[in-house]
Every structure is written in C-alpha cells, then in structure tokens.
Amino acid sequence: RRYKNLSFASFALCSFFACITIIMMMKVLLVCSALLLAAAIVSADTAAVTAFADANWNCANAACSSKVAVGQGQPNYQCAEFVSRSLAAGGYIPGIGPHDSQNSYLNYKHNGVAYDLLWVSSKQGGPKGLEDLLIELKWTTVPNTQVKAGYALMLVGAEGKFSHTAVGVADGLTDAHNVAHLRAPTSVYLGVTRVSQSYTCRSRVESLLNLKSLCYRHIAN
C-alpha cells in the first residue's frame, strides 16, 4: 500500500507540473500572437493617418470640393477638424469615421461626455476639444522632438498655447490646416506645446498577463 501511495503521489506531482507547463506555454503563445497582431495594427493605423492627411492637407472643406495652396487659410476646415479626421482615419477616435458629417465632430461624445472636435482644447477656453479627448483616451507625453507618423501635436497658435494643432506624417514632419502645410517640420509653427503618444489597443489579455506594452499606437498631443 505504501508503494501505491508513493506512485499516486508521484503521478499527482507530475500531473501538477505538466499542467503548470501547459499553462505557461499557452501564455507564451497568447503573448506572441498578441504582439504580432499589435505590430500589424500599429503599421496599418499609422499608414491610414498619414494617407488621409497627405490626401487632404490642402482641402478647403471636408468634402474637398476645392483646394488651396501651401500657406493659405482654410476657414471652413480648420486645424482641429483636420487632425481629428486624420486620427479617425486610423481608428484612433472611437465610433467616428474620417468622412462623417461636420456635425458629428462638433457634437462628438465619448463615455457620455461631449467633445467639440472642431476645437483644439478647453485650455484655450471654450468647450472640451480634441486635446481633452486625447487625455481622456490616456495618451502620454513624449519629448517634443519625437514627432512621428500618426502623432497629433498641440501647438502655439495666434491665440497662444493650445490654439493650433497638427498631425505627424513622418519622423519630424507634419501636415496641418489653417494655414495649409504638407510635410512641414515643427519649426514652421510658433511653438510646440506638447507631444504625446497613446496606446489604445490594451486588451484583457494584457491585464491577465500583467503586460505593460502589448499594443502601442503612436500619437501626440
């Protein structure tokens, strides 16, 4: 009977370690799969933001029925709306598309809170705007020199800090509206208030495995 008890104990111990090994292997597979998916998402989203911005940088209105030259104003399609639509093209703004109505951007809601995505920031007075939404979506600050494709910059404009915005389309280069800029360095603006990046692809798998950076998307504000 002693030998039988020992055999059972050995079997139970081996089974326990086998289960632990299987669980660890499953976690590794989940992490690898998630990282591969994240890489594909980051690439696709960044490209979509850049593609939209480069195609619409000189549009005089959201329908792009007319265009302007470099450095000309766009009073009917201003900076915040342009950056918001560019980010929406990459899926960075939940529940809205790049070609939705202007009213949809004016009266955008996230988690029951209203945001005017035609407005840069409540820091310049007025309603909650694009910058406020980016903060709500947990975007984080990076050094001002780290502008990359898919970033949104909050800039110094004619009315001071947070009164202008642009979208990153390549390393160190931006597109903007009012006035129209294509692939412009940040030096063309009066100043850069803040640049940030945000991850919006955090999943339940990340929480389960206690991972800090599973799906990062790059944006600035």
mmCIF file of all heavy atoms in Angstrom, residues 13-45:
data_model
loop_
_atom_site.group_PDB
_atom_site.id
_atom_site.type_symbol
_atom_site.label_atom_id
_atom_site.label_comp_id
_atom_site.label_asym_id
_atom_site.label_seq_id
_atom_site.Cartn_x
_atom_site.Cartn_y
_atom_site.Cartn_z
ATOM 1 N N LEU A 13 2.015 14.668 -8.575
ATOM 2 C CA LEU A 13 3.032 15.720 -8.691
ATOM 3 C C LEU A 13 3.397 15.977 -10.147
ATOM 4 O O LEU A 13 3.504 17.131 -10.580
ATOM 5 C CB LEU A 13 4.271 15.309 -7.892
ATOM 6 C CG LEU A 13 5.377 16.367 -7.757
ATOM 7 C CD1 LEU A 13 4.836 17.589 -7.023
ATOM 8 C CD2 LEU A 13 6.581 15.783 -7.002
ATOM 9 N N CYS A 14 3.574 14.890 -10.891
ATOM 10 C CA CYS A 14 3.905 15.029 -12.313
ATOM 11 C C CYS A 14 2.761 15.716 -13.063
ATOM 12 O O CYS A 14 2.992 16.564 -13.931
ATOM 13 C CB CYS A 14 4.176 13.661 -12.929
ATOM 14 S SG CYS A 14 5.736 12.930 -12.372
ATOM 15 N N SER A 15 1.534 15.366 -12.736
ATOM 16 C CA SER A 15 0.381 15.977 -13.381
ATOM 17 C C SER A 15 0.322 17.468 -13.089
ATOM 18 O O SER A 15 0.013 18.285 -13.967
ATOM 19 C CB SER A 15 -0.917 15.312 -12.911
ATOM 20 O OG SER A 15 -0.926 13.948 -13.264
ATOM 21 N N PHE A 16 0.633 17.827 -11.834
ATOM 22 C CA PHE A 16 0.623 19.243 -11.443
ATOM 23 C C PHE A 16 1.638 20.028 -12.267
ATOM 24 O O PHE A 16 1.318 21.082 -12.831
ATOM 25 C CB PHE A 16 0.937 19.365 -9.951
ATOM 26 C CG PHE A 16 1.142 20.786 -9.492
ATOM 27 C CD1 PHE A 16 0.051 21.627 -9.299
ATOM 28 C CD2 PHE A 16 2.420 21.268 -9.270
ATOM 29 C CE1 PHE A 16 0.239 22.928 -8.879
ATOM 30 C CE2 PHE A 16 2.613 22.578 -8.859
ATOM 31 C CZ PHE A 16 1.520 23.413 -8.657
ATOM 32 N N PHE A 17 2.865 19.527 -12.339
ATOM 33 C CA PHE A 17 3.896 20.225 -13.103
ATOM 34 C C PHE A 17 3.585 20.246 -14.597
ATOM 35 O O PHE A 17 3.903 21.211 -15.296
ATOM 36 C CB PHE A 17 5.275 19.597 -12.847
ATOM 37 C CG PHE A 17 5.865 20.003 -11.537
ATOM 38 C CD1 PHE A 17 6.021 19.081 -10.517
ATOM 39 C CD2 PHE A 17 6.263 21.325 -11.311
ATOM 40 C CE1 PHE A 17 6.564 19.461 -9.304
ATOM 41 C CE2 PHE A 17 6.804 21.706 -10.112
ATOM 42 C CZ PHE A 17 6.959 20.774 -9.088
ATOM 43 N N ALA A 18 2.955 19.191 -15.101
ATOM 44 C CA ALA A 18 2.566 19.165 -16.508
ATOM 45 C C ALA A 18 1.520 20.247 -16.794
ATOM 46 O O ALA A 18 1.586 20.948 -17.810
ATOM 47 C CB ALA A 18 2.010 17.792 -16.869
ATOM 48 N N CYS A 19 0.574 20.419 -15.868
ATOM 49 C CA CYS A 19 -0.446 21.459 -16.034
ATOM 50 C C CYS A 19 0.179 22.851 -16.019
ATOM 51 O O CYS A 19 -0.176 23.726 -16.820
ATOM 52 C CB CYS A 19 -1.484 21.345 -14.920
ATOM 53 S SG CYS A 19 -2.579 19.910 -15.085
ATOM 54 N N ILE A 20 1.122 23.062 -15.087
ATOM 55 C CA ILE A 20 1.808 24.357 -14.998
ATOM 56 C C ILE A 20 2.549 24.649 -16.296
ATOM 57 O O ILE A 20 2.508 25.767 -16.838
ATOM 58 C CB ILE A 20 2.789 24.383 -13.812
ATOM 59 C CG1 ILE A 20 2.030 24.302 -12.491
ATOM 60 C CG2 ILE A 20 3.657 25.642 -13.856
ATOM 61 C CD1 ILE A 20 1.105 25.470 -12.238
ATOM 62 N N THR A 21 3.223 23.629 -16.835
ATOM 63 C CA THR A 21 3.966 23.795 -18.089
ATOM 64 C C THR A 21 3.038 24.156 -19.237
ATOM 65 O O THR A 21 3.324 25.043 -20.042
ATOM 66 C CB THR A 21 4.732 22.501 -18.428
ATOM 67 O OG1 THR A 21 5.629 22.187 -17.351
ATOM 68 C CG2 THR A 21 5.532 22.674 -19.719
ATOM 69 N N ILE A 22 1.895 23.468 -19.326
ATOM 70 C CA ILE A 22 0.926 23.737 -20.390
ATOM 71 C C ILE A 22 0.394 25.159 -20.279
ATOM 72 O O ILE A 22 0.272 25.881 -21.272
ATOM 73 C CB ILE A 22 -0.224 22.719 -20.345
ATOM 74 C CG1 ILE A 22 0.284 21.328 -20.741
ATOM 75 C CG2 ILE A 22 -1.371 23.146 -21.264
ATOM 76 C CD1 ILE A 22 -0.711 20.215 -20.518
ATOM 77 N N ILE A 23 0.072 25.590 -19.041
ATOM 78 C CA ILE A 23 -0.441 26.953 -18.826
ATOM 79 C C ILE A 23 0.584 27.989 -19.251
ATOM 80 O O ILE A 23 0.253 28.979 -19.917
ATOM 81 C CB ILE A 23 -0.838 27.158 -17.345
ATOM 82 C CG1 ILE A 23 -2.075 26.312 -17.022
ATOM 83 C CG2 ILE A 23 -1.097 28.639 -17.056
ATOM 84 C CD1 ILE A 23 -2.427 26.284 -15.552
ATOM 85 N N MET A 24 1.856 27.776 -18.888
ATOM 86 C CA MET A 24 2.906 28.721 -19.254
ATOM 87 C C MET A 24 3.091 28.779 -20.765
ATOM 88 O O MET A 24 3.286 29.852 -21.343
ATOM 89 C CB MET A 24 4.224 28.330 -18.576
ATOM 90 C CG MET A 24 4.210 28.482 -17.059
ATOM 91 S SD MET A 24 3.809 30.158 -16.518
ATOM 92 C CE MET A 24 5.214 31.056 -17.183
ATOM 93 N N MET A 25 3.010 27.631 -21.419
ATOM 94 C CA MET A 25 3.138 27.599 -22.880
ATOM 95 C C MET A 25 1.984 28.345 -23.539
ATOM 96 O O MET A 25 2.168 29.051 -24.530
ATOM 97 C CB MET A 25 3.194 26.148 -23.366
ATOM 98 C CG MET A 25 4.488 25.420 -22.998
ATOM 99 S SD MET A 25 4.484 23.698 -23.554
ATOM 100 C CE MET A 25 4.464 23.927 -25.335
ATOM 101 N N MET A 26 0.772 28.190 -22.982
ATOM 102 C CA MET A 26 -0.384 28.896 -23.530
ATOM 103 C C MET A 26 -0.218 30.403 -23.383
ATOM 104 O O MET A 26 -0.554 31.177 -24.275
ATOM 105 C CB MET A 26 -1.660 28.432 -22.822
ATOM 106 C CG MET A 26 -2.083 27.013 -23.174
ATOM 107 S SD MET A 26 -3.553 26.480 -22.267
ATOM 108 C CE MET A 26 -4.770 27.609 -22.941
ATOM 109 N N LYS A 27 0.338 30.838 -22.237
ATOM 110 C CA LYS A 27 0.574 32.268 -22.030
ATOM 111 C C LYS A 27 1.577 32.806 -23.044
ATOM 112 O O LYS A 27 1.401 33.886 -23.603
ATOM 113 C CB LYS A 27 1.073 32.528 -20.604
ATOM 114 C CG LYS A 27 -0.002 32.435 -19.540
ATOM 115 C CD LYS A 27 0.523 32.890 -18.193
ATOM 116 C CE LYS A 27 -0.584 32.941 -17.160
ATOM 117 N NZ LYS A 27 -0.126 33.477 -15.872
ATOM 118 N N VAL A 28 2.636 32.042 -23.283
ATOM 119 C CA VAL A 28 3.639 32.473 -24.257
ATOM 120 C C VAL A 28 3.030 32.597 -25.639
ATOM 121 O O VAL A 28 3.280 33.564 -26.374
ATOM 122 C CB VAL A 28 4.829 31.478 -24.278
ATOM 123 C CG1 VAL A 28 5.760 31.772 -25.455
ATOM 124 C CG2 VAL A 28 5.605 31.556 -22.970
ATOM 125 N N LEU A 29 2.200 31.617 -26.015
ATOM 126 C CA LEU A 29 1.540 31.674 -27.319
ATOM 127 C C LEU A 29 0.606 32.877 -27.419
ATOM 128 O O LEU A 29 0.535 33.539 -28.454
ATOM 129 C CB LEU A 29 0.756 30.382 -27.554
ATOM 130 C CG LEU A 29 1.600 29.131 -27.849
ATOM 131 C CD1 LEU A 29 0.718 27.895 -27.876
ATOM 132 C CD2 LEU A 29 2.333 29.283 -29.175
ATOM 133 N N LEU A 30 -0.112 33.172 -26.337
ATOM 134 C CA LEU A 30 -1.007 34.331 -26.329
ATOM 135 C C LEU A 30 -0.229 35.630 -26.501
ATOM 136 O O LEU A 30 -0.620 36.514 -27.256
ATOM 137 C CB LEU A 30 -1.796 34.376 -25.018
ATOM 138 C CG LEU A 30 -3.003 33.452 -24.908
ATOM 139 C CD1 LEU A 30 -3.547 33.469 -23.490
ATOM 140 C CD2 LEU A 30 -4.092 33.869 -25.887
ATOM 141 N N VAL A 31 0.894 35.730 -25.785
ATOM 142 C CA VAL A 31 1.720 36.937 -25.886
ATOM 143 C C VAL A 31 2.260 37.114 -27.301
ATOM 144 O O VAL A 31 2.188 38.201 -27.881
ATOM 145 C CB VAL A 31 2.886 36.887 -24.881
ATOM 146 C CG1 VAL A 31 3.854 38.046 -25.125
ATOM 147 C CG2 VAL A 31 2.361 36.945 -23.463
ATOM 148 N N CYS A 32 2.795 36.047 -27.865
ATOM 149 C CA CYS A 32 3.355 36.119 -29.217
ATOM 150 C C CYS A 32 2.281 36.500 -30.235
ATOM 151 O O CYS A 32 2.521 37.336 -31.115
ATOM 152 C CB CYS A 32 3.992 34.784 -29.595
ATOM 153 S SG CYS A 32 5.489 34.403 -28.659
ATOM 154 N N SER A 33 1.116 35.883 -30.116
ATOM 155 C CA SER A 33 0.028 36.195 -31.046
ATOM 156 C C SER A 33 -0.408 37.640 -30.911
ATOM 157 O O SER A 33 -0.641 38.337 -31.901
ATOM 158 C CB SER A 33 -1.163 35.266 -30.780
ATOM 159 O OG SER A 33 -0.802 33.917 -30.989
ATOM 160 N N ALA A 34 -0.510 38.110 -29.665
ATOM 161 C CA ALA A 34 -0.945 39.487 -29.435
ATOM 162 C C ALA A 34 0.069 40.487 -29.964
ATOM 163 O O ALA A 34 -0.290 41.511 -30.532
ATOM 164 C CB ALA A 34 -1.173 39.711 -27.938
ATOM 165 N N LEU A 35 1.349 40.190 -29.775
ATOM 166 C CA LEU A 35 2.387 41.094 -30.262
ATOM 167 C C LEU A 35 2.404 41.164 -31.784
ATOM 168 O O LEU A 35 2.592 42.233 -32.362
ATOM 169 C CB LEU A 35 3.757 40.653 -29.736
ATOM 170 C CG LEU A 35 3.988 40.880 -28.242
ATOM 171 C CD1 LEU A 35 5.318 40.269 -27.820
ATOM 172 C CD2 LEU A 35 3.950 42.356 -27.894
ATOM 173 N N LEU A 36 2.209 40.021 -32.441
ATOM 174 C CA LEU A 36 2.142 40.011 -33.900
ATOM 175 C C LEU A 36 0.945 40.810 -34.391
ATOM 176 O O LEU A 36 1.039 41.578 -35.350
ATOM 177 C CB LEU A 36 2.058 38.570 -34.407
ATOM 178 C CG LEU A 36 3.352 37.748 -34.292
ATOM 179 C CD1 LEU A 36 3.062 36.287 -34.635
ATOM 180 C CD2 LEU A 36 4.431 38.304 -35.221
ATOM 181 N N LEU A 37 -0.197 40.641 -33.710
ATOM 182 C CA LEU A 37 -1.391 41.390 -34.075
ATOM 183 C C LEU A 37 -1.175 42.878 -33.839
ATOM 184 O O LEU A 37 -1.544 43.714 -34.654
ATOM 185 C CB LEU A 37 -2.580 40.899 -33.253
ATOM 186 C CG LEU A 37 -3.903 41.649 -33.455
ATOM 187 C CD1 LEU A 37 -4.358 41.538 -34.909
ATOM 188 C CD2 LEU A 37 -4.969 41.104 -32.514
ATOM 189 N N ALA A 38 -0.536 43.209 -32.718
ATOM 190 C CA ALA A 38 -0.289 44.622 -32.401
ATOM 191 C C ALA A 38 0.587 45.275 -33.448
ATOM 192 O O ALA A 38 0.359 46.403 -33.860
ATOM 193 C CB ALA A 38 0.376 44.729 -31.023
ATOM 194 N N ALA A 39 1.624 44.552 -33.902
ATOM 195 C CA ALA A 39 2.522 45.110 -34.916
ATOM 196 C C ALA A 39 1.766 45.424 -36.197
ATOM 197 O O ALA A 39 1.972 46.460 -36.833
ATOM 198 C CB ALA A 39 3.652 44.124 -35.198
ATOM 199 N N ALA A 40 0.861 44.532 -36.576
ATOM 200 C CA ALA A 40 0.067 44.761 -37.785
ATOM 201 C C ALA A 40 -0.859 45.952 -37.617
ATOM 202 O O ALA A 40 -1.016 46.775 -38.510
ATOM 203 C CB ALA A 40 -0.740 43.504 -38.115
ATOM 204 N N ILE A 41 -1.470 46.072 -36.412
ATOM 205 C CA ILE A 41 -2.389 47.174 -36.153
ATOM 206 C C ILE A 41 -1.664 48.504 -36.191
ATOM 207 O O ILE A 41 -2.112 49.460 -36.803
ATOM 208 C CB ILE A 41 -3.077 46.985 -34.783
ATOM 209 C CG1 ILE A 41 -4.064 45.824 -34.856
ATOM 210 C CG2 ILE A 41 -3.797 48.255 -34.352
ATOM 211 C CD1 ILE A 41 -4.660 45.450 -33.531
ATOM 212 N N VAL A 42 -0.496 48.578 -35.521
ATOM 213 C CA VAL A 42 0.257 49.825 -35.477
ATOM 214 C C VAL A 42 0.618 50.289 -36.868
ATOM 215 O O VAL A 42 0.445 51.440 -37.237
ATOM 216 C CB VAL A 42 1.531 49.642 -34.619
ATOM 217 C CG1 VAL A 42 2.469 50.821 -34.808
ATOM 218 C CG2 VAL A 42 1.165 49.503 -33.155
ATOM 219 N N SER A 43 1.128 49.365 -37.698
ATOM 220 C CA SER A 43 1.535 49.711 -39.052
ATOM 221 C C SER A 43 0.353 50.202 -39.878
ATOM 222 O O SER A 43 0.424 51.223 -40.540
ATOM 223 C CB SER A 43 2.182 48.495 -39.716
ATOM 224 O OG SER A 43 2.503 48.783 -41.041
ATOM 225 N N ALA A 44 -0.761 49.481 -39.811
ATOM 226 C CA ALA A 44 -1.926 49.828 -40.615
ATOM 227 C C ALA A 44 -2.513 51.168 -40.183
ATOM 228 O O ALA A 44 -2.858 52.002 -41.014
ATOM 229 C CB ALA A 44 -2.977 48.733 -40.504
ATOM 230 N N ASP A 45 -2.644 51.401 -38.885
ATOM 231 C CA ASP A 45 -3.249 52.627 -38.391
ATOM 232 C C ASP A 45 -2.398 53.848 -38.707
ATOM 233 O O ASP A 45 -2.914 54.891 -39.105
ATOM 234 C CB ASP A 45 -3.484 52.533 -36.892
ATOM 235 C CG ASP A 45 -4.630 51.596 -36.542
ATOM 236 O OD1 ASP A 45 -5.381 51.203 -37.446
ATOM 237 O OD2 ASP A 45 -4.764 51.257 -35.368
#
